[in-house]
Amino acid sequence: MSTYSDPQALTPIERRGRLWLKRDDLFHIAGAYGGKARACYLLARGAELGLVTAASRSSPQTSIVARIACHLGVKCRIHTPWGSATYDIQDAESHGAERIGHRPGFNSVIRARAEQDARLRGWTHIPFGMESAVAVAMATRQAANLPGDCRRIVVPVGSALTLAGILWSLKTLGNAIPVVGVVVGADPRKRLDRWAPEDW
């Protein structure tokens, strides 16, 4: 197993000029890369029948979950909004996933349908956005190798789970360096209230 296929191993931090880059994109399993692939793999281990998830049509989560299901030798069902298949959906289907499209395709609808589907089938549910204590714990662990001379952290904020993990790691270490979150998705404040330290 490659070092970067071990979900417990720290991915490296590399220097580029005056910047340090956390290379969590180097983690890989079954052709899926990054922190969400790590979280999915850990959430899926032990699945005996199949994986069920919900995601937007443009989300790589469809591909990640399907690839890991294929790797584990179990079935996969993905719930998405109705519409044409995107690259990630096509990739998921090529790895054996069955897609279930919904009208209306609101996030609340597809999330509820996926949870119900998993419960009725007895399959393992992979949460929308990988939102879970597992994902936050892994992000917290990955922040452990921050360099000592780091003066500020800049992180993209989609699901906000990586940011929550970083904040937990800094709080545990008593490190008060500033953190800048660049929001690239929906408003993350409710998820930060759920998963980040209370004083985030």
Side-chain angles (χ1 to χ4, degrees):
M1 176 184 282
S2 160
T3 299
Y4 303 131
S5 294
D6 177 357
Q8 302 301 328
L10 293 177
T11 51
I13 292 184
E14 299 174 353
R15 185 134 200 177
R16 295 288 188 273
R18 296 176 59 194
L19 301 177
W20 292 98
L21 301 176
K22 175 65 172 173
R23 296 298 311 276
D24 219 29
D25 60 306
L26 294 179
F27 175 81
H28 59 90
I29 191 80
Y33 289 79
K36 288 200 183 303
R38 180 192 293 111
C40 181
Y41 180 60
L42 290 170
L43 289 165
R45 287 201 302 192
E48 296 180 356
L49 301 174
L51 306 181
V52 179
T53 197
S56 73
R57 291 190 305 120
S58 59
S59 172
Q61 178 154 332
T62 55
S63 170
I64 290 168
V65 175
R67 284 175 173 267
I68 289 174
C70 184
H71 175 74
L72 295 174
V74 298
K75 295 180 180 180
C76 179
R77 285 167 60 89
I78 54 173
H79 293 257
T80 71
W82 188 267
S84 59
T86 60
Y87 170 82
D88 287 300
I89 290 172
Q90 290 174 353
D91 186 71
E93 290 177 331
S94 75
H95 285 85
E98 178 185 356
R99 178 192 177 200
I100 301 91
H102 296 279
R103 287 181 175 149
F106 301 125
N107 286 348
S108 58
V109 172
I110 62 173
R111 289 174 79 153
R113 298 294 183 272
E115 289 171 14
Q116 181 184 47
D117 189 16
R119 189 169 54 253
L120 292 174
R121 292 172 182 274
W123 291 14
T124 299
H125 178 242
I126 305 298
F128 184 91
M130 306 294 173
E131 186 174 346
S132 62
V134 167
V136 176
M138 286 295 101
T140 302
R141 177 179 172 75
Q142 286 298 320
N145 62 351
L146 290 172
D149 61 347
C150 179
R151 296 182 192 166
R152 181 171 72 162
I153 296 172
V154 180
V155 60
V157 183
S159 68
L161 301 181
T162 297
L163 174 56
I166 290 169
L167 295 175
W168 274 115
S169 183
L170 294 176
K171 185 177 182 73
T172 301
L173 295 170
N175 189 334
I177 63 172
V179 179
V180 177
V182 180
V183 178
V184 295
D187 187 332
R189 286 177 288 189
K190 287 184 179 178
R191 285 186 298 278
L192 286 169
D193 286 342
R194 279 196 297 273
W195 298 105
E198 289 183 5
D199 59 350
W200 70 265

